[in-house]
Each structure stands twice: as structure tokens, then as C-alpha cells.
Amino acid sequence: MALLNLKDILAPATRGNYAVGAFNVINTELLEAVVSAAERMQSPVILNIAEVHLAYVDIEVIAAAVIKRAHKACVPVTLNLDHGLKFETVAAAVRCGFTSVMFDGSHLSYEDNIAQTREITKLCHAVNVSVEAELGAVGGSEGGELMGTIDAAMYTDPALAEDFIQKTQIDALAVAIGNAHGRYRGEPKLDFERLDSIHKKSGIPLVLHGGSGISDEDFKKAIGLGIAKINFFTGMARAAIDTLHVAITKRDVDLKYNAYPDIMLQVQESVSRVVAGQMTIFGSCGKA
Ligand SMILES: [Zn+2]
């Protein structure tokens, strides 16, 4: 199947009241885990490559692998730059064939976030690449400390959402409503009233970052209030680590020789199960 941009993969989700999962990949094991889950579940899927993860994988190599796998897939796939921080990284992603870019200007002033995001949308829209941006700041940081802090002062201001979207011309908006990257300290408390008013004012699909740890019920409620893309990675990483831990502490495994390929497959399968489970919760199964 051809790769879709974010706008085109999210439009049916908004109409059909479900969300498309965006799962981070940093190697071909995770790529296969995610795409094979999408194929089993007949679900559209977004593959995230985060700028912070470019310390572990070359953007040209992983993009080529994702594009090749997407063309072989029987489900719609979007290749998204996750938390693009530098203009150069966004440009590199566009050159490598990404169909979507998230520009994270959440650390900037409101005016600078608008100005830089607008520059990104001009570049990306000229080549049919979608743009997601963030208003307010999601707790923690992608690839940052394990448990991020949530600061209500950094939540998305519904009064600014309409102005921000109109001035930047973005295709999707990442919201900060009590969600956080990494693991949550205690139960996450999402501000649904705030989400509802952002939804009423925005008119574009909304994105929930920090999907690992949010309850099924809260996901469903958030989807009903305009969330159409959900970012999920910590839960995948935890499944991978747990599987590795069990595999290498088994006494009958010969760690000196040929155990690695089999352990790699076990990791892939466990991550794939977690991803398929999330797709079921997000309501995207059977929507491919
Ligand atoms: Zn994020």
C-alpha cells in the first residue's frame, strides 16, 4: 500500500470515532512488531521516528526500511517524525520520504512557536507532508527522564488553540491535558473539560502523547472528545525489556552462541501483542 500523510490517515478516524496509534520504531524488530500487529488487526498505523532516537539509528536507513515495509503492507501506514526539534531534522525527514512531521515548539514562547511552526508547515505542505504541532507542553520529554512531572500551568489553553491553528495552518494538534511521557506517577488525571473545549474550538484532529498508563476507559472518553492519534512507546519498551529479562535468566539458554536470534523474535512477538492490544482499545481494528 502507498504511504498516507497524517491528514489522510486521520480523516476516517475522526469520522468513525476511533484513534490511530502512533508507535515508535528504532530498529527493524520494532518495525516488524508494529506493522505485523496492524496487519493482523487490519488497522491503519502510524510509525513514529523520534528525533531523540536518531542517536540510535540513522534516519535515512530507518526511513528506507519503513517505506519498503509500508509498501508491502496490506494496511495504510504513515511515516511520522516524532518531536522534531530542529528545522534541519524536519528537512532531512522530508527528504527521506516521511509523510508527516511533528514539530515540537512547546519549549518556545507562544509567538516563536507560531513563527517556527508556520515555517515548517509552509515547507511541508508544499510537498504534501502533514504537520502536527504542540501547544502547551506535555509532561516529561520524549526519551527523557523515566517519570516526567505534570505541570497544570503548561496545559493547552483552549482560548489560544483556534488562533494557533489558524496562524500555523497545522493538520493536527498535540494537547497537554495531564498526559505525560514515560511512566506516570500514580494514576493519570486527564482534564476532559479542557479537552472538550479545545475540541470545540480547534476543528482539526487532536493528538494525545504519553499513551502508556492511561486507562482503557479514559482513552475511549478522549477519543469521543476529538483525540484521533495516540502516541505509545513506553509500554512497548517495557514489554521488550521484560521479555529480554525472562529470556536471558532462563537457565537452559546458551547465551554464548545462537540464543540471540530467537530472543530477538520473542521480543518482537511480545511487543507485537502489546501493540495489537492498544489498537483494540483505540478502536482502529478492522478500519484498514
Ligand atoms: Zn510525545
PDB file of all heavy atoms in Angstrom, residues 183-217:
ATOM      1  N   ARG A 183       6.654   6.933  32.397  1.00  0.00           N
ATOM      2  CA  ARG A 183       5.708   6.330  33.344  1.00  0.00           C
ATOM      3  C   ARG A 183       5.034   7.412  34.172  1.00  0.00           C
ATOM      4  O   ARG A 183       5.644   8.409  34.516  1.00  0.00           O
ATOM      5  CB  ARG A 183       6.444   5.359  34.253  1.00  0.00           C
ATOM      6  CG  ARG A 183       6.411   3.939  33.728  1.00  0.00           C
ATOM      7  CD  ARG A 183       7.426   3.067  34.386  1.00  0.00           C
ATOM      8  NE  ARG A 183       7.309   3.074  35.851  1.00  0.00           N
ATOM      9  CZ  ARG A 183       8.271   2.593  36.634  1.00  0.00           C
ATOM     10  NH1 ARG A 183       9.369   2.109  36.122  1.00  0.00           N
ATOM     11  NH2 ARG A 183       8.119   2.623  37.934  1.00  0.00           N
ATOM     12  N   TYR A 184       3.756   7.196  34.484  1.00  0.00           N
ATOM     13  CA  TYR A 184       3.032   8.168  35.306  1.00  0.00           C
ATOM     14  C   TYR A 184       3.340   7.940  36.784  1.00  0.00           C
ATOM     15  O   TYR A 184       3.522   6.803  37.218  1.00  0.00           O
ATOM     16  CB  TYR A 184       1.521   8.034  35.078  1.00  0.00           C
ATOM     17  CG  TYR A 184       1.081   8.609  33.745  1.00  0.00           C
ATOM     18  CD1 TYR A 184       1.121   7.847  32.584  1.00  0.00           C
ATOM     19  CD2 TYR A 184       0.673   9.930  33.644  1.00  0.00           C
ATOM     20  CE1 TYR A 184       0.744   8.378  31.360  1.00  0.00           C
ATOM     21  CE2 TYR A 184       0.289  10.470  32.424  1.00  0.00           C
ATOM     22  CZ  TYR A 184       0.335   9.688  31.297  1.00  0.00           C
ATOM     23  OH  TYR A 184      -0.033  10.227  30.090  1.00  0.00           O
ATOM     24  N   ARG A 185       3.381   9.054  37.527  1.00  0.00           N
ATOM     25  CA  ARG A 185       3.448   8.938  38.990  1.00  0.00           C
ATOM     26  C   ARG A 185       1.996   8.816  39.437  1.00  0.00           C
ATOM     27  O   ARG A 185       1.245   9.780  39.324  1.00  0.00           O
ATOM     28  CB  ARG A 185       4.007  10.227  39.607  1.00  0.00           C
ATOM     29  CG  ARG A 185       5.433  10.560  39.219  1.00  0.00           C
ATOM     30  CD  ARG A 185       5.740  11.984  39.683  1.00  0.00           C
ATOM     31  NE  ARG A 185       6.876  12.536  38.950  1.00  0.00           N
ATOM     32  CZ  ARG A 185       8.138  12.475  39.362  1.00  0.00           C
ATOM     33  NH1 ARG A 185       8.454  11.903  40.493  1.00  0.00           N
ATOM     34  NH2 ARG A 185       9.092  13.015  38.635  1.00  0.00           N
ATOM     35  N   GLY A 186       1.603   7.645  39.898  1.00  0.00           N
ATOM     36  CA  GLY A 186       0.211   7.434  40.299  1.00  0.00           C
ATOM     37  C   GLY A 186      -0.703   7.407  39.079  1.00  0.00           C
ATOM     38  O   GLY A 186      -0.248   7.283  37.948  1.00  0.00           O
ATOM     39  N   GLU A 187      -2.006   7.530  39.341  1.00  0.00           N
ATOM     40  CA  GLU A 187      -2.995   7.471  38.268  1.00  0.00           C
ATOM     41  C   GLU A 187      -3.008   8.774  37.469  1.00  0.00           C
ATOM     42  O   GLU A 187      -3.105   9.857  38.045  1.00  0.00           O
ATOM     43  CB  GLU A 187      -4.397   7.293  38.887  1.00  0.00           C
ATOM     44  CG  GLU A 187      -4.678   5.913  39.414  1.00  0.00           C
ATOM     45  CD  GLU A 187      -4.895   4.907  38.297  1.00  0.00           C
ATOM     46  OE1 GLU A 187      -5.830   5.111  37.505  1.00  0.00           O
ATOM     47  OE2 GLU A 187      -4.118   3.939  38.224  1.00  0.00           O
ATOM     48  N   PRO A 188      -2.923   8.695  36.125  1.00  0.00           N
ATOM     49  CA  PRO A 188      -3.037   9.939  35.359  1.00  0.00           C
ATOM     50  C   PRO A 188      -4.450  10.525  35.472  1.00  0.00           C
ATOM     51  O   PRO A 188      -5.427   9.788  35.486  1.00  0.00           O
ATOM     52  CB  PRO A 188      -2.753   9.490  33.921  1.00  0.00           C
ATOM     53  CG  PRO A 188      -2.706   8.015  33.911  1.00  0.00           C
ATOM     54  CD  PRO A 188      -2.724   7.507  35.303  1.00  0.00           C
ATOM     55  N   LYS A 189      -4.504  11.843  35.614  1.00  0.00           N
ATOM     56  CA  LYS A 189      -5.818  12.510  35.673  1.00  0.00           C
ATOM     57  C   LYS A 189      -5.928  13.459  34.488  1.00  0.00           C
ATOM     58  O   LYS A 189      -5.332  14.542  34.497  1.00  0.00           O
ATOM     59  CB  LYS A 189      -5.947  13.297  36.979  1.00  0.00           C
ATOM     60  CG  LYS A 189      -6.192  12.408  38.175  1.00  0.00           C
ATOM     61  CD  LYS A 189      -6.455  13.229  39.427  1.00  0.00           C
ATOM     62  CE  LYS A 189      -6.487  12.333  40.665  1.00  0.00           C
ATOM     63  NZ  LYS A 189      -5.183  11.666  40.927  1.00  0.00           N
ATOM     64  N   LEU A 190      -6.680  13.055  33.487  1.00  0.00           N
ATOM     65  CA  LEU A 190      -6.814  13.887  32.295  1.00  0.00           C
ATOM     66  C   LEU A 190      -7.910  14.929  32.517  1.00  0.00           C
ATOM     67  O   LEU A 190      -8.943  14.651  33.117  1.00  0.00           O
ATOM     68  CB  LEU A 190      -7.145  13.014  31.079  1.00  0.00           C
ATOM     69  CG  LEU A 190      -6.096  11.944  30.709  1.00  0.00           C
ATOM     70  CD1 LEU A 190      -6.491  11.230  29.419  1.00  0.00           C
ATOM     71  CD2 LEU A 190      -4.702  12.554  30.564  1.00  0.00           C
ATOM     72  N   ASP A 191      -7.661  16.124  32.016  1.00  0.00           N
ATOM     73  CA  ASP A 191      -8.602  17.234  32.157  1.00  0.00           C
ATOM     74  C   ASP A 191      -9.553  17.217  30.946  1.00  0.00           C
ATOM     75  O   ASP A 191      -9.309  17.873  29.922  1.00  0.00           O
ATOM     76  CB  ASP A 191      -7.803  18.551  32.211  1.00  0.00           C
ATOM     77  CG  ASP A 191      -8.673  19.757  32.482  1.00  0.00           C
ATOM     78  OD1 ASP A 191      -9.907  19.658  32.314  1.00  0.00           O
ATOM     79  OD2 ASP A 191      -8.118  20.815  32.854  1.00  0.00           O
ATOM     80  N   PHE A 192     -10.641  16.440  31.083  1.00  0.00           N
ATOM     81  CA  PHE A 192     -11.548  16.233  29.948  1.00  0.00           C
ATOM     82  C   PHE A 192     -12.349  17.491  29.599  1.00  0.00           C
ATOM     83  O   PHE A 192     -12.717  17.700  28.452  1.00  0.00           O
ATOM     84  CB  PHE A 192     -12.489  15.057  30.229  1.00  0.00           C
ATOM     85  CG  PHE A 192     -11.790  13.729  30.179  1.00  0.00           C
ATOM     86  CD1 PHE A 192     -11.573  12.996  31.337  1.00  0.00           C
ATOM     87  CD2 PHE A 192     -11.321  13.224  28.977  1.00  0.00           C
ATOM     88  CE1 PHE A 192     -10.904  11.780  31.288  1.00  0.00           C
ATOM     89  CE2 PHE A 192     -10.650  12.008  28.913  1.00  0.00           C
ATOM     90  CZ  PHE A 192     -10.446  11.290  30.073  1.00  0.00           C
ATOM     91  N   GLU A 193     -12.605  18.306  30.607  1.00  0.00           N
ATOM     92  CA  GLU A 193     -13.338  19.550  30.350  1.00  0.00           C
ATOM     93  C   GLU A 193     -12.522  20.442  29.415  1.00  0.00           C
ATOM     94  O   GLU A 193     -13.038  21.040  28.471  1.00  0.00           O
ATOM     95  CB  GLU A 193     -13.533  20.272  31.679  1.00  0.00           C
ATOM     96  CG  GLU A 193     -14.903  20.901  31.837  1.00  0.00           C
ATOM     97  CD  GLU A 193     -15.076  21.348  33.269  1.00  0.00           C
ATOM     98  OE1 GLU A 193     -15.285  20.462  34.138  1.00  0.00           O
ATOM     99  OE2 GLU A 193     -14.961  22.556  33.506  1.00  0.00           O
ATOM    100  N   ARG A 194     -11.212  20.508  29.691  1.00  0.00           N
ATOM    101  CA  ARG A 194     -10.299  21.276  28.854  1.00  0.00           C
ATOM    102  C   ARG A 194     -10.231  20.682  27.434  1.00  0.00           C
ATOM    103  O   ARG A 194     -10.291  21.408  26.443  1.00  0.00           O
ATOM    104  CB  ARG A 194      -8.900  21.271  29.491  1.00  0.00           C
ATOM    105  CG  ARG A 194      -7.854  22.103  28.776  1.00  0.00           C
ATOM    106  CD  ARG A 194      -6.542  22.017  29.515  1.00  0.00           C
ATOM    107  NE  ARG A 194      -6.632  22.591  30.849  1.00  0.00           N
ATOM    108  CZ  ARG A 194      -6.323  23.860  31.148  1.00  0.00           C
ATOM    109  NH1 ARG A 194      -5.877  24.673  30.218  1.00  0.00           N
ATOM    110  NH2 ARG A 194      -6.443  24.302  32.379  1.00  0.00           N
ATOM    111  N   LEU A 195     -10.144  19.363  27.368  1.00  0.00           N
ATOM    112  CA  LEU A 195     -10.093  18.697  26.057  1.00  0.00           C
ATOM    113  C   LEU A 195     -11.351  19.009  25.255  1.00  0.00           C
ATOM    114  O   LEU A 195     -11.286  19.307  24.058  1.00  0.00           O
ATOM    115  CB  LEU A 195      -9.940  17.180  26.238  1.00  0.00           C
ATOM    116  CG  LEU A 195      -9.896  16.338  24.952  1.00  0.00           C
ATOM    117  CD1 LEU A 195      -8.713  16.748  24.063  1.00  0.00           C
ATOM    118  CD2 LEU A 195      -9.820  14.843  25.271  1.00  0.00           C
ATOM    119  N   ASP A 196     -12.485  18.969  25.919  1.00  0.00           N
ATOM    120  CA  ASP A 196     -13.761  19.260  25.257  1.00  0.00           C
ATOM    121  C   ASP A 196     -13.764  20.669  24.674  1.00  0.00           C
ATOM    122  O   ASP A 196     -14.169  20.873  23.526  1.00  0.00           O
ATOM    123  CB  ASP A 196     -14.900  19.095  26.283  1.00  0.00           C
ATOM    124  CG  ASP A 196     -16.263  19.223  25.637  1.00  0.00           C
ATOM    125  OD1 ASP A 196     -16.394  18.809  24.460  1.00  0.00           O
ATOM    126  OD2 ASP A 196     -17.189  19.734  26.296  1.00  0.00           O
ATOM    127  N   SER A 197     -13.263  21.627  25.431  1.00  0.00           N
ATOM    128  CA  SER A 197     -13.305  22.996  24.894  1.00  0.00           C
ATOM    129  C   SER A 197     -12.235  23.211  23.811  1.00  0.00           C
ATOM    130  O   SER A 197     -12.469  23.955  22.866  1.00  0.00           O
ATOM    131  CB  SER A 197     -13.277  24.061  25.996  1.00  0.00           C
ATOM    132  OG  SER A 197     -12.056  24.053  26.626  1.00  0.00           O
ATOM    133  N   ILE A 198     -11.095  22.514  23.897  1.00  0.00           N
ATOM    134  CA  ILE A 198     -10.109  22.586  22.796  1.00  0.00           C
ATOM    135  C   ILE A 198     -10.743  21.992  21.532  1.00  0.00           C
ATOM    136  O   ILE A 198     -10.633  22.551  20.436  1.00  0.00           O
ATOM    137  CB  ILE A 198      -8.816  21.809  23.150  1.00  0.00           C
ATOM    138  CG1 ILE A 198      -8.122  22.394  24.382  1.00  0.00           C
ATOM    139  CG2 ILE A 198      -7.851  21.792  21.955  1.00  0.00           C
ATOM    140  CD1 ILE A 198      -7.034  21.506  24.984  1.00  0.00           C
ATOM    141  N   HIS A 199     -11.416  20.867  21.701  1.00  0.00           N
ATOM    142  CA  HIS A 199     -12.058  20.165  20.579  1.00  0.00           C
ATOM    143  C   HIS A 199     -13.080  21.070  19.885  1.00  0.00           C
ATOM    144  O   HIS A 199     -13.116  21.162  18.655  1.00  0.00           O
ATOM    145  CB  HIS A 199     -12.732  18.904  21.138  1.00  0.00           C
ATOM    146  CG  HIS A 199     -13.480  18.104  20.126  1.00  0.00           C
ATOM    147  ND1 HIS A 199     -12.994  17.839  18.873  1.00  0.00           N
ATOM    148  CD2 HIS A 199     -14.699  17.498  20.194  1.00  0.00           C
ATOM    149  CE1 HIS A 199     -13.874  17.101  18.209  1.00  0.00           C
ATOM    150  NE2 HIS A 199     -14.910  16.895  18.982  1.00  0.00           N
ATOM    151  N   LYS A 200     -13.875  21.740  20.690  1.00  0.00           N
ATOM    152  CA  LYS A 200     -14.918  22.614  20.118  1.00  0.00           C
ATOM    153  C   LYS A 200     -14.321  23.780  19.349  1.00  0.00           C
ATOM    154  O   LYS A 200     -14.905  24.286  18.397  1.00  0.00           O
ATOM    155  CB  LYS A 200     -15.843  23.121  21.229  1.00  0.00           C
ATOM    156  CG  LYS A 200     -16.818  22.041  21.659  1.00  0.00           C
ATOM    157  CD  LYS A 200     -17.729  22.514  22.768  1.00  0.00           C
ATOM    158  CE  LYS A 200     -18.708  21.391  23.144  1.00  0.00           C
ATOM    159  NZ  LYS A 200     -18.885  21.273  24.590  1.00  0.00           N
ATOM    160  N   LYS A 201     -13.134  24.237  19.772  1.00  0.00           N
ATOM    161  CA  LYS A 201     -12.532  25.406  19.140  1.00  0.00           C
ATOM    162  C   LYS A 201     -11.567  25.058  18.015  1.00  0.00           C
ATOM    163  O   LYS A 201     -11.221  25.915  17.207  1.00  0.00           O
ATOM    164  CB  LYS A 201     -11.767  26.217  20.191  1.00  0.00           C
ATOM    165  CG  LYS A 201     -12.697  26.887  21.199  1.00  0.00           C
ATOM    166  CD  LYS A 201     -11.941  27.904  22.031  1.00  0.00           C
ATOM    167  CE  LYS A 201     -12.886  28.837  22.746  1.00  0.00           C
ATOM    168  NZ  LYS A 201     -13.353  28.278  24.027  1.00  0.00           N
ATOM    169  N   SER A 202     -11.097  23.793  17.949  1.00  0.00           N
ATOM    170  CA  SER A 202      -9.983  23.504  17.042  1.00  0.00           C
ATOM    171  C   SER A 202     -10.392  23.119  15.626  1.00  0.00           C
ATOM    172  O   SER A 202      -9.824  23.622  14.664  1.00  0.00           O
ATOM    173  CB  SER A 202      -9.104  22.406  17.637  1.00  0.00           C
ATOM    174  OG  SER A 202      -9.872  21.250  17.839  1.00  0.00           O
ATOM    175  N   GLY A 203     -11.329  22.200  15.475  1.00  0.00           N
ATOM    176  CA  GLY A 203     -11.757  21.774  14.145  1.00  0.00           C
ATOM    177  C   GLY A 203     -10.748  20.905  13.392  1.00  0.00           C
ATOM    178  O   GLY A 203     -10.919  20.640  12.207  1.00  0.00           O
ATOM    179  N   ILE A 204      -9.662  20.481  14.045  1.00  0.00           N
ATOM    180  CA  ILE A 204      -8.719  19.544  13.427  1.00  0.00           C
ATOM    181  C   ILE A 204      -8.504  18.367  14.399  1.00  0.00           C
ATOM    182  O   ILE A 204      -8.807  18.490  15.588  1.00  0.00           O
ATOM    183  CB  ILE A 204      -7.349  20.200  13.075  1.00  0.00           C
ATOM    184  CG1 ILE A 204      -6.678  20.797  14.316  1.00  0.00           C
ATOM    185  CG2 ILE A 204      -7.500  21.262  11.980  1.00  0.00           C
ATOM    186  CD1 ILE A 204      -5.244  21.275  14.069  1.00  0.00           C
ATOM    187  N   PRO A 205      -7.976  17.240  13.896  1.00  0.00           N
ATOM    188  CA  PRO A 205      -7.737  16.098  14.799  1.00  0.00           C
ATOM    189  C   PRO A 205      -6.767  16.467  15.926  1.00  0.00           C
ATOM    190  O   PRO A 205      -5.808  17.206  15.712  1.00  0.00           O
ATOM    191  CB  PRO A 205      -7.107  15.043  13.876  1.00  0.00           C
ATOM    192  CG  PRO A 205      -7.488  15.436  12.492  1.00  0.00           C
ATOM    193  CD  PRO A 205      -7.614  16.933  12.500  1.00  0.00           C
ATOM    194  N   LEU A 206      -7.035  15.934  17.119  1.00  0.00           N
ATOM    195  CA  LEU A 206      -6.172  16.190  18.285  1.00  0.00           C
ATOM    196  C   LEU A 206      -5.336  14.941  18.580  1.00  0.00           C
ATOM    197  O   LEU A 206      -5.729  13.823  18.248  1.00  0.00           O
ATOM    198  CB  LEU A 206      -7.034  16.560  19.492  1.00  0.00           C
ATOM    199  CG  LEU A 206      -7.947  17.778  19.284  1.00  0.00           C
ATOM    200  CD1 LEU A 206      -8.821  18.009  20.518  1.00  0.00           C
ATOM    201  CD2 LEU A 206      -7.150  19.025  18.940  1.00  0.00           C
ATOM    202  N   VAL A 207      -4.178  15.176  19.202  1.00  0.00           N
ATOM    203  CA  VAL A 207      -3.215  14.099  19.436  1.00  0.00           C
ATOM    204  C   VAL A 207      -2.907  13.998  20.924  1.00  0.00           C
ATOM    205  O   VAL A 207      -2.677  15.013  21.591  1.00  0.00           O
ATOM    206  CB  VAL A 207      -1.901  14.366  18.660  1.00  0.00           C
ATOM    207  CG1 VAL A 207      -0.908  13.230  18.877  1.00  0.00           C
ATOM    208  CG2 VAL A 207      -2.189  14.567  17.173  1.00  0.00           C
ATOM    209  N   LEU A 208      -2.912  12.753  21.427  1.00  0.00           N
ATOM    210  CA  LEU A 208      -2.581  12.507  22.829  1.00  0.00           C
ATOM    211  C   LEU A 208      -1.218  11.818  22.908  1.00  0.00           C
ATOM    212  O   LEU A 208      -1.061  10.685  22.461  1.00  0.00           O
ATOM    213  CB  LEU A 208      -3.665  11.617  23.461  1.00  0.00           C
ATOM    214  CG  LEU A 208      -3.621  11.448  24.971  1.00  0.00           C
ATOM    215  CD1 LEU A 208      -3.918  12.760  25.687  1.00  0.00           C
ATOM    216  CD2 LEU A 208      -4.622  10.375  25.412  1.00  0.00           C
ATOM    217  N   HIS A 209      -0.228  12.519  23.448  1.00  0.00           N
ATOM    218  CA  HIS A 209       1.091  11.926  23.698  1.00  0.00           C
ATOM    219  C   HIS A 209       1.074  11.293  25.082  1.00  0.00           C
ATOM    220  O   HIS A 209       0.236  11.633  25.907  1.00  0.00           O
ATOM    221  CB  HIS A 209       2.182  13.002  23.626  1.00  0.00           C
ATOM    222  CG  HIS A 209       2.501  13.434  22.220  1.00  0.00           C
ATOM    223  ND1 HIS A 209       3.742  13.289  21.665  1.00  0.00           N
ATOM    224  CD2 HIS A 209       1.711  13.982  21.258  1.00  0.00           C
ATOM    225  CE1 HIS A 209       3.712  13.742  20.421  1.00  0.00           C
ATOM    226  NE2 HIS A 209       2.500  14.180  20.148  1.00  0.00           N
ATOM    227  N   GLY A 210       2.042  10.390  25.339  1.00  0.00           N
ATOM    228  CA  GLY A 210       2.127   9.771  26.664  1.00  0.00           C
ATOM    229  C   GLY A 210       1.014   8.766  26.891  1.00  0.00           C
ATOM    230  O   GLY A 210       0.343   8.773  27.921  1.00  0.00           O
ATOM    231  N   GLY A 211       0.810   7.857  25.905  1.00  0.00           N
ATOM    232  CA  GLY A 211      -0.314   6.918  25.960  1.00  0.00           C
ATOM    233  C   GLY A 211      -0.116   5.733  26.896  1.00  0.00           C
ATOM    234  O   GLY A 211      -1.066   5.023  27.204  1.00  0.00           O
ATOM    235  N   SER A 212       1.118   5.512  27.393  1.00  0.00           N
ATOM    236  CA  SER A 212       1.367   4.334  28.228  1.00  0.00           C
ATOM    237  C   SER A 212       0.962   4.616  29.671  1.00  0.00           C
ATOM    238  O   SER A 212       1.584   5.439  30.337  1.00  0.00           O
ATOM    239  CB  SER A 212       2.852   3.939  28.176  1.00  0.00           C
ATOM    240  OG  SER A 212       3.243   3.677  26.848  1.00  0.00           O
ATOM    241  N   GLY A 213      -0.086   3.932  30.146  1.00  0.00           N
ATOM    242  CA  GLY A 213      -0.513   4.119  31.532  1.00  0.00           C
ATOM    243  C   GLY A 213      -1.903   4.708  31.664  1.00  0.00           C
ATOM    244  O   GLY A 213      -2.487   4.738  32.747  1.00  0.00           O
ATOM    245  N   ILE A 214      -2.455   5.188  30.553  1.00  0.00           N
ATOM    246  CA  ILE A 214      -3.818   5.744  30.577  1.00  0.00           C
ATOM    247  C   ILE A 214      -4.809   4.574  30.494  1.00  0.00           C
ATOM    248  O   ILE A 214      -4.580   3.608  29.760  1.00  0.00           O
ATOM    249  CB  ILE A 214      -3.992   6.754  29.415  1.00  0.00           C
ATOM    250  CG1 ILE A 214      -3.111   7.987  29.688  1.00  0.00           C
ATOM    251  CG2 ILE A 214      -5.448   7.152  29.231  1.00  0.00           C
ATOM    252  CD1 ILE A 214      -3.066   9.001  28.585  1.00  0.00           C
ATOM    253  N   SER A 215      -5.905   4.654  31.256  1.00  0.00           N
ATOM    254  CA  SER A 215      -6.847   3.528  31.310  1.00  0.00           C
ATOM    255  C   SER A 215      -7.652   3.428  30.015  1.00  0.00           C
ATOM    256  O   SER A 215      -7.828   4.412  29.306  1.00  0.00           O
ATOM    257  CB  SER A 215      -7.805   3.698  32.492  1.00  0.00           C
ATOM    258  OG  SER A 215      -8.694   4.770  32.234  1.00  0.00           O
ATOM    259  N   ASP A 216      -8.161   2.230  29.735  1.00  0.00           N
ATOM    260  CA  ASP A 216      -8.972   1.998  28.527  1.00  0.00           C
ATOM    261  C   ASP A 216     -10.154   2.960  28.492  1.00  0.00           C
ATOM    262  O   ASP A 216     -10.505   3.513  27.446  1.00  0.00           O
ATOM    263  CB  ASP A 216      -9.516   0.559  28.517  1.00  0.00           C
ATOM    264  CG  ASP A 216      -8.400  -0.472  28.549  1.00  0.00           C
ATOM    265  OD1 ASP A 216      -7.216  -0.069  28.669  1.00  0.00           O
ATOM    266  OD2 ASP A 216      -8.712  -1.671  28.448  1.00  0.00           O
ATOM    267  N   GLU A 217     -10.743   3.143  29.648  1.00  0.00           N
ATOM    268  CA  GLU A 217     -11.929   3.997  29.754  1.00  0.00           C
ATOM    269  C   GLU A 217     -11.593   5.456  29.396  1.00  0.00           C
ATOM    270  O   GLU A 217     -12.321   6.111  28.648  1.00  0.00           O
ATOM    271  CB  GLU A 217     -12.422   3.925  31.197  1.00  0.00           C
ATOM    272  CG  GLU A 217     -13.871   4.302  31.410  1.00  0.00           C
ATOM    273  CD  GLU A 217     -14.209   4.218  32.885  1.00  0.00           C
ATOM    274  OE1 GLU A 217     -13.967   3.133  33.461  1.00  0.00           O
ATOM    275  OE2 GLU A 217     -14.651   5.231  33.443  1.00  0.00           O
TER     276      GLU A 217
END
